Amino acid sequence: MNKSSHTQPQVIDESGDKYKYGFVTAIEADTAPKGLNPDIIRFISAKKGEPDWLLEWRLKALEFWQGMTEPAWAKLSYDKIGYQDLYYYSAPRQKAAPKSLDEVDPELLSTYEKLGIPLKEQEMLAGVVAVDAVFDSVSVATTYRARLAEQGIIFCSISEAVKEHPDLVKQYLGSVVPYTDNFFACLNSAVFTDGSFVYIPKGVRCPMELSTYFRINAKNTGQFERTLIIADEGSYVSYLEGCTAPQRDENQLHAAIVEIVVLKDAEVKYSTVQNWYPGDKDGKGGVYNFVTKRAACRGANAKISWTQVETGSAVTWKYPSCVLQGDNSSGEFYSVAITNNRQQADTGTKMIHIGKNTTSKIISKGISAGFSNQTYRGLVKVAPGACGVRNYSQCDSLLIGENCGSHTVPYIENRNKTARIEHEATTSKISDEQLFYCLQRGISEEEAVSLIVNGFCKEVMQHLPLEFAIEAAKLINISLEGSVG
Amino acid sequence: MAGLVQNIPLIGAEIPWLRQLREAGIRAFENSGIPTAKTEAWKYTKPRDLNANDYIMDSRGETVTPGHFSLPFDGYRIHFENGIFDPEQTELPQGVEVLPLAEALLLRGETRGYLGRLVDLKRHPFAALNTGYLNEGVFIRVEKNVDLKKPLILINHTDSCGRNLFFNLRHLLILEEGASAEFVEIYHYGGEVKSRYFANIVTEAFLAPKARLQHYKYQAEAFKANHIALTAVDIETAAEYQAFTLQKGANIARNETRVSLRREQARAEVNAAYLMNGWATIDTTTDIEHLAPCTFSDQLVKGVVGGDAKGVFQGKIHIAPHAVKTGGRQLHKALLLSDTAEIDVKPELEIFADDVKCSHGAASGELDEEALFYMRSRGIGGEEARRLLIDAYLEDVIAKVPDPRIRAWFEELK
């Protein structure tokens, strides 16, 4: 430890800032029995009052999943997941669907208050962000729906969307990420319980940032969120996703899917701050995060931008991708990933260029500290007919301490001569000179590191919406605590 | 697959360690089989033609017309015909030993301590197969502090007379402390161009402290042939390895280089160029391991791909824990000349130490329209202008060849 820490009074309690959001709310869950079989799927589907086509689709996914093997190509090592030992459905107990916030379980609301999203106040005061808060698996309350509805925007939970907008769901669900896609996506397709649904009509610019806070609760529940966003022609939406989870010792599985359809001239901005429980210092506990995120730019001039700040989870497996089908469409990926202690992250993106004159940009910043390991894994693929493609990728890694690892594995597959593809990657540590400069001016080592790291990530952070940028900067500091000195 | 595993007479079958080594090789190959698209290390290069059953492994006793390969520089020549040593009297200077591998296996007991040490049989199926047929090849030893002024030139000439030959060559190079040498490998063909012969080559090189090896390779196999080569190099304190490979031929060609920078101040420079047309797949794969602090590596690979060809580059830099103050650089650039050409690149950094400087870069694109226009507006024809630009494209990588005589030769070849 450095000297300054000795002089500081010990006011912070043991849990301190280490994991601010670690607590379990005692709410009874309506839980399905352990395990995974067609009956459980029927249970989930019946519980949610789903139409037959969706049940059939789920059952098909389950059947396909049973023939798949868990992928092992990522640079990750974790205990084998007992898929039959998990609960696949647990919903907060409610009398009836809440019509307003008053009907929502007060204990649930206080949980959100601890997280810093007081729904009530938000509705009354800000009017900037509409929150579709997901507690475990069922949407509890959706605010501002009325205001959004005036413009024809649909923002609701996916189970509601199944009931109220079946045509849209049926048309687009699984069209970007089919259930055959990969092991975890297939599992999700079979057992997904809830998530968000967004539809922005033609030519509408969504007046506010849409946001969902995910919470993991109820012991042993895998979370299987499914998000579907459809941006119709000429529309625009910015979507925020933030995650925190209660502290617990058992590993929790999370296998979500985010599907985004971007039609002609539309634009979607998707930002994520992921702060799930990363496990303790020795790597005990923590969330397993296996996420499939993909956006399809279906029309000309469509635009998708992914921004992510990944600081949590014991194991992260996540590759937000862009399928650039429409001519002149563009995809962007901005990522900051921080791993500390025993965390492992294998993350990156895929840019699939199919349309002509499509462009993509990848900026990835990885910071490894402690005993953690991090991998950037990306693919840039140019189809034979995609003329005039432009891609630029930059992957920088920063290593803090001598026991961590940082790896970069970009794949580039180019089948068109007119494509211009550039990839750069660097790996280094915090330079002694920069550190010395700060120390010399009376900044403590820990503060100096966080200052330098924030500077290192700046390029990505500036793409976050303001609401997120502040939280994200704080998160970076929390994540790196104890990594120096 | 039976086509690649056959009973052929091998020298020294009665030597137990040699028999065991060969058996382990065959076993490892039979376990892993020919790599498929699911094998990560062979994701882009699919050795599909190698499944054929009609390979001929024993071509002894047949008469072939020896090929001649003229070179603009002088050196100590070592000839192979269809993968079989072709004795030629060359006077070697004091302190250098060059033997056919088969002879070295019988006469030089120390080969035991070196052979197979750098080859992971499980990871390299074709090198395992090669180990199973350890027999032909060359054994080179350069004694302490000997500085070889002229290059050692190994030429393999294949004239398969239309048959599908399969041959294995295994080379072992030992450079003792402070020794310095240049080693040039040339693979070319004569006669029937359409034969699907398969050359499977493994080279192991050991560089003792302060040794220096310049390793050059020119691959110009027949257009339906397969050429798969693994070069594994072990580099001790302050020793230096410099390599340049030019690949122009074969249907499927893979040149894989594995370098282990074992002690401090070890250095490696692995450069390559490839130039291709037709249906070929040319693969350049490197794997540089930094195992000690203060080790340095540098790679520059450039390619020009035309026709329906596919260029593949897979490059890995691995930094072991505690291998601090190391530097690893890598750059791959490719030029696509046709609408059907393809380029697949997978650079990889695997870093387990914090105080390092590593970087890699990859770029691909077509000929610069503006540069073409510039030349054409000055009266240079379209074809000529393209030729000039392609020439210029490979210029900087060839310029890295340290020996001026050899550099000039590569300039001619490209």
Side-chain angles (χ1 to χ4, degrees):
Chain A
M1 290 299 277
N2 57 36
K3 266 185 186 166
S4 65
S5 66
H6 286 290
T7 57
Q8 275 173 356
Q10 298 288 316
V11 282
I12 304 163
D13 64 339
E14 279 301 302
S15 63
D17 262 359
K18 281 284 185 300
Y19 190 71
K20 231 167 94 183
Y21 306 130
F23 45 79
V24 178
T25 322
I27 292 180
E28 260 184 83
D30 189 355
T31 307
K34 260 187 195 178
L36 186 54
N37 55 53
D39 288 339
I40 296 284
I41 307 290
R42 287 193 190 96
F43 175 86
I44 295 171
S45 193
K47 205 83 190 155
K48 305 182 77 61
E50 284 175 359
D52 288 346
W53 65 265
L54 193 55
L55 174 63
E56 265 165 45
W57 191 71
R58 283 175 183 274
L59 290 169
K60 264 195 280 179
L62 179 70
E63 201 189 327
F64 194 81
W65 182 78
Q66 282 162 340
M68 290 174 105
T69 44
E70 200 171 330
W73 43 260
K75 277 196 177 78
L76 300 171
S77 68
Y78 50 90
D79 294 336
K80 242 185 136 33
I81 301 166
Y83 293 95
Q84 294 302 338
D85 287 336
L86 293 170
Y87 293 97
Y88 286 88
Y89 184 79
S90 88
R93 178 173 286 183
Q94 281 160 8
K95 290 171 203 108
K99 292 196 176 61
S100 72
L101 290 175
D102 301 336
E103 285 178 32
V104 174
D105 196 331
E107 204 168 342
L108 207 57
L109 291 179
S110 76
T111 309
Y112 289 121
E113 260 165 66
K114 281 186 219 165
L115 282 178
I117 34 162
L119 287 179
K120 284 182 180 175
E121 279 177 51
Q122 228 161 15
E123 198 174 35
M124 286 186 290
L125 298 168
V128 184
V129 181
V131 180
D132 172 21
V134 172
F135 192 103
D136 262 31
S137 316
V138 165
S139 294
V140 177
T142 306
T143 52
Y144 276 92
R145 216 193 283 176
R147 226 186 105 181
L148 293 170
E150 275 169 31
Q151 289 186 283
I153 297 169
I154 305 166
F155 178 36
C156 61
S157 75
I158 196 130
S159 16
E160 278 173 89
V162 168
K163 285 179 198 136
E164 285 160 33
H165 311 281
D167 295 345
L168 278 174
V169 176
K170 205 173 171 178
Q171 185 182 352
Y172 291 108
L173 188 75
S175 74
V176 184
V177 182
Y179 66 80
T180 51
D181 195 81
N182 68 67
F183 184 81
F184 299 107
C186 189
L187 177 65
N188 175 293
S189 301
V191 302
F192 75 91
T193 40
D194 219 331
S196 302
F197 176 83
V198 176
Y199 173 78
I200 314 288
K202 268 183 199 173
V204 171
R205 193 182 164 87
C206 185
M208 60 185 85
E209 318 250 1
L210 301 180
S211 158
T212 308
Y213 272 72
F214 293 96
R215 289 277 286 139
I216 294 185
N217 206 299
K219 213 169 172 168
N220 258 341
T221 307
Q223 278 250 309
F224 302 96
E225 245 79 67
R226 183 129 196 158
T227 300
L228 178 59
I229 299 174
I230 302 148
D232 214 328
E233 287 180 18
S235 64
Y236 167 84
V237 65
S238 166
Y239 191 90
L240 318 180
E241 174 202 39
C243 317
T244 56
Q247 186 154 11
R248 184 177 296 132
D249 269 344
E250 231 159 304
N251 290 307
Q252 290 179 305
L253 173 68
H254 186 98
I257 292 182
V258 176
E259 284 182 285
I260 303 179
V261 178
V262 194
L263 299 177
K264 194 171 164 250
D265 299 320
E267 181 179 351
V268 175
K269 211 170 132 87
Y270 194 102
S271 315
T272 311
V273 171
Q274 190 261 106
N275 179 29
W276 277 322
Y277 181 53
D280 65 10
K281 265 197 294 205
D282 304 313
K284 198 161 174 264
V287 170
Y288 288 0
N289 188 22
F290 299 96
V291 186
T292 308
K293 288 185 169 180
R294 194 174 302 154
C297 287
R298 294 262 161 89
N301 308 317
K303 194 177 172 193
I304 169 72
S305 170
W306 297 101
T307 308
Q308 61 172 24
V309 175
E310 301 278 323
T311 61
S313 294
V315 173
T316 303
W317 181 99
K318 181 180 179 185
Y319 315 93
S321 313
C322 305
V323 184
L324 305 166
Q325 289 162 290
D327 292 348
N328 310 324
S329 58
S330 87
E332 285 173 358
F333 175 75
Y334 301 98
S335 165
V336 169
I338 299 176
T339 52
N340 199 354
N341 299 322
R342 303 272 173 185
Q343 276 177 277
Q344 302 173 68
D346 197 301
T347 182
T349 184
K350 283 183 182 182
M351 295 291 176
I352 319 281
H353 293 264
I354 298 165
K356 292 186 177 69
N357 301 319
T358 47
T359 57
S360 65
K361 187 172 169 185
I362 301 168
I363 308 284
S364 167
K365 306 274 179 181
I367 298 129
S368 326
F371 289 85
S372 69
N373 264 297
Q374 198 177 112
T375 306
Y376 167 83
R377 192 182 297 276
L379 168 71
V380 175
K381 189 171 186 162
V382 182
C387 296
V389 164
R390 187 81 180 87
N391 158 267
Y392 175 73
S393 315
Q394 191 189 333
C395 308
D396 296 324
S397 308
L398 199 62
L399 292 149
I400 302 173
E402 55 184 19
N403 299 311
C404 54
S406 166
H407 321 297
T408 318
V409 196
Y411 293 75
I412 301 162
E413 302 175 12
N414 182 4
R415 307 191 77 184
N416 189 296
K417 66 167 180 170
T418 61
R420 284 181 62 195
I421 300 174
E422 285 168 74
H423 174 93
E424 277 176 54
T426 63
T427 304
S428 57
K429 65 165 196 166
I430 291 177
S431 90
D432 291 337
E433 273 168 49
Q434 285 174 345
L435 210 55
F436 177 72
Y437 182 91
C438 294
L439 292 177
Q440 200 193 23
R441 278 153 183 80
I443 299 168
S444 77
E445 197 176 348
E446 197 144 297
E447 273 177 279
V449 167
S450 105
L451 192 71
I452 294 163
V453 168
N454 268 299
F456 176 76
C457 305
K458 202 177 157 194
E459 229 178 317
V460 172
M461 304 296 267
Q462 67 195 14
H463 288 276
L464 283 174
L466 186 66
E467 293 87 339
F468 260 24
I470 296 160
E471 188 186 341
K474 268 191 210 156
L475 264 180
I476 289 176
N477 296 349
I478 294 172
S479 309
L480 288 173
E481 255 170 35
S483 61
V484 283
Chain B
M1 203 185 293
L4 295 178
V5 179
Q6 298 170 17
N7 265 328
I8 55 163
L10 298 171
I11 224 154
E14 67 288 350
I15 305 171
W17 71 266
L18 192 55
R19 202 179 57 231
Q20 277 165 20
L21 186 62
R22 284 173 179 153
E23 281 169 3
I26 293 292
R27 230 182 1 255
F29 175 73
E30 285 180 331
N31 280 339
S32 52
I34 289 177
T36 63
K38 293 228 163 180
T39 317
E40 182 64 22
W42 291 81
K43 189 176 162 67
Y44 296 118
T45 303
K46 296 170 184 76
R48 45 186 181 270
D49 291 352
L50 298 176
N51 267 322
N53 263 323
D54 54 354
Y55 281 113
I56 296 164
M57 287 190 71
D58 194 3
S59 67
R60 264 160 245 263
E62 300 195 24
T63 43
V64 283
T65 24
H68 181 72
F69 196 89
S70 62
L71 280 169
F73 55 89
D74 196 17
Y76 310 107
R77 286 188 175 222
I78 307 151
H79 272 278
F80 284 85
E81 280 296 332
N82 291 340
I84 295 167
F85 188 73
D86 179 22
E88 182 181 320
Q89 290 304 320
T90 337
E91 229 166 88
L92 287 165
Q94 194 91 51
V96 183
E97 192 176 22
V98 176
L99 289 174
L101 187 75
E103 211 169 298
L105 287 173
L106 298 176
L107 303 175
R108 298 284 175 271
E110 67 264 40
T111 51
R112 181 184 179 178
Y114 290 105
L115 275 174
R117 216 167 88 187
L118 305 179
V119 177
D120 183 344
L121 299 178
K122 280 193 188 126
R123 273 178 61 182
H124 302 281
F126 292 111
L129 185 63
N130 181 291
T131 305
Y133 294 109
L134 254 173
N135 200 35
E136 287 291 349
V138 68
F139 168 83
I140 296 172
R141 182 166 55 193
V142 186
E143 282 173 22
K144 198 172 167 181
N145 295 330
V146 170
D147 182 3
L148 218 52
K149 294 282 182 260
K150 286 194 283 184
L152 291 154
I153 305 162
L154 182 149
I155 301 170
N156 180 68
H157 169 256
T158 306
D159 181 359
S160 62
C161 308
R163 294 156 313 142
N164 298 325
L165 273 185
F166 165 45
F167 59 86
N168 291 281
L169 277 173
R170 180 75 165 233
H171 311 309
L172 179 61
L173 278 78
I174 299 165
L175 270 73
E176 293 181 357
E177 200 175 327
S180 171
E182 286 173 86
F183 180 51
V184 183
E185 280 182 84
I186 296 164
Y187 296 90
H188 73 124
Y189 70 96
E192 175 62 69
V193 292
K194 281 187 179 170
S195 96
R196 284 191 296 107
Y197 67 87
F198 171 25
N200 185 21
I201 294 132
V202 174
T203 307
E204 284 177 282
F206 293 85
L207 275 65
K210 293 185 195 143
R212 182 167 182 231
L213 176 65
Q214 291 177 41
H215 186 183
Y216 304 105
K217 180 172 167 180
Y218 175 52
Q219 184 269 104
E221 304 277 21
F223 82 102
K224 280 196 170 175
N226 299 291
H227 178 99
I228 293 183
L230 172 71
T231 302
V233 190
D234 192 75
I235 306 173
E236 288 284 336
T237 313
E240 192 177 1
Y241 175 71
Q242 285 170 301
F244 175 73
T245 302
L246 176 65
Q247 296 205 84
K248 275 179 85 173
N251 175 34
I252 295 199
R254 168 141 157 155
N255 194 55
E256 185 166 352
T257 309
R258 276 183 60 78
V259 173
S260 302
L261 297 156
R262 204 166 290 284
R263 298 275 183 272
E264 287 187 23
Q265 298 297 341
R267 279 168 194 277
E269 196 181 315
V270 180
N271 300 325
Y274 55 89
L275 199 61
M276 56 208 276
N277 262 310
W279 292 94
T281 299
I282 291 186
D283 177 331
T284 304
T285 295
T286 63
D287 186 348
I288 315 264
E289 278 183 311
H290 290 257
L291 300 171
C294 303
T295 48
F296 304 93
S297 70
D298 202 341
Q299 299 171 65
L300 176 63
V301 177
K302 292 189 90 169
V304 178
V305 190
D308 295 301
K310 176 154 111 170
V312 178
F313 172 72
Q314 304 184 98
K316 185 170 176 181
I317 300 176
H318 170 91
I319 312 254
H322 311 300
V324 291
K325 313 272 178 211
T326 49
R329 277 197 305 182
Q330 183 193 80
L331 181 63
H332 173 263
K333 282 185 166 187
L335 193 59
L336 291 167
L337 297 179
S338 74
D339 293 332
T340 43
E342 179 178 343
I343 182 89
D344 296 314
V345 182
K346 184 189 159 196
E348 195 173 342
L349 294 177
E350 194 177 55
I351 294 163
F352 290 100
D354 67 334
D355 193 0
V356 299
K357 276 205 175 114
C358 280
S359 66
H360 68 208
S364 76
E366 62 176 337
L367 284 175
D368 187 348
E369 281 297 327
E370 271 175 49
L372 274 175
F373 178 77
Y374 179 91
M375 285 194 269
R376 299 204 63 181
S377 66
R378 276 151 186 81
I380 299 167
E383 258 320 294
E384 175 73 12
R386 280 164 65 89
R387 185 70 235 159
L388 275 171
L389 279 179
I390 294 166
D391 267 6
Y393 195 78
L394 296 179
E395 189 64 39
D396 58 342
V397 62
I398 292 173
K400 285 184 171 256
V401 172
D403 186 321
R405 298 164 296 179
I406 295 173
R407 194 191 313 138
W409 174 59
F410 277 120
E411 291 279 1
E412 290 296 309
L413 288 175
K414 74 167 191 242

